[in-house]
Amino acid sequence: RNQTIFDPWHYLPILARKPGALRNGAPFQDWALPPALAQLRRKLGKGDDADRRFVRVLAAIPDDGLEVVEAAVAEALSAGTVSDEVILNILSRRREPRDAQTMDVVVNLKLKHPPIADCARYDTVRGLNAAA
């Protein structure tokens, strides 16, 4: 009663559109992030560009899951890399490849009207006054 409680994970879609809310938004104040994500946040620093990079990593959580994203962040940090591109690359390499869609192809196709190799037909299209 008389207390407001925010769930920051609920606001991830909004955060993807407005990365500045990470610094100024009420749900993200005193946000207890998992250890790897908190370390990434500290290493990225502060500012608009750092917020955008961190939000790009957070935006992968609904698709890949928190545990998978945290593991990718931990792998990137252990490699000494603090980059959203590297983390997203690690995530994309861990995804299951999609099944190739099979196409129904008819093998025995036959032309109704086979092409005729007749140079005289070409001369009739060109006209009589065409340069030879």
Side-chain angles (χ1 to χ4, degrees):
R1 205 165 179 71
N2 297 330
Q3 190 177 13
T4 305
I5 299 173
F6 293 107
D7 180 18
W9 300 108
H10 174 75
Y11 296 98
L12 275 181
I14 295 169
L15 192 59
R17 286 181 294 169
K18 301 278 186 178
L22 188 61
R23 274 180 283 128
N24 305 323
F28 310 109
Q29 301 299 320
D30 302 322
W31 188 8
L33 290 166
L37 289 172
Q39 186 179 1
L40 174 68
R41 178 86 175 114
R42 281 191 306 275
K43 289 202 177 226
L44 283 175
K46 295 185 179 185
D48 291 338
D49 188 49
D51 289 343
R52 273 189 226 101
R53 290 177 175 276
F54 188 65
V55 168
R56 284 187 64 202
V57 174
L58 290 177
I61 291 175
D63 296 330
D64 295 314
L66 179 60
E67 294 81 20
V68 176
V69 172
E70 187 176 9
V73 170
E75 182 182 331
L77 289 173
S78 68
T81 309
V82 184
S83 171
D84 56 329
E85 289 93 4
V86 171
I87 294 167
L88 294 175
N89 188 343
I90 292 169
L91 287 170
S92 68
R93 284 186 284 129
R94 288 184 177 179
R95 287 188 193 115
E96 295 281 329
R98 293 185 181 173
D99 293 334
Q101 294 178 347
T102 58
M103 296 177 59
D104 296 331
V105 178
V106 180
V107 179
N108 297 327
L109 293 177
K110 294 184 181 180
L111 294 173
K112 286 184 179 179
H113 307 286
I116 302 169
D118 184 9
C119 294
R121 286 180 52 202
Y122 179 72
D123 290 335
T124 61
V125 173
R126 282 184 40 203
L128 299 174
N129 297 329

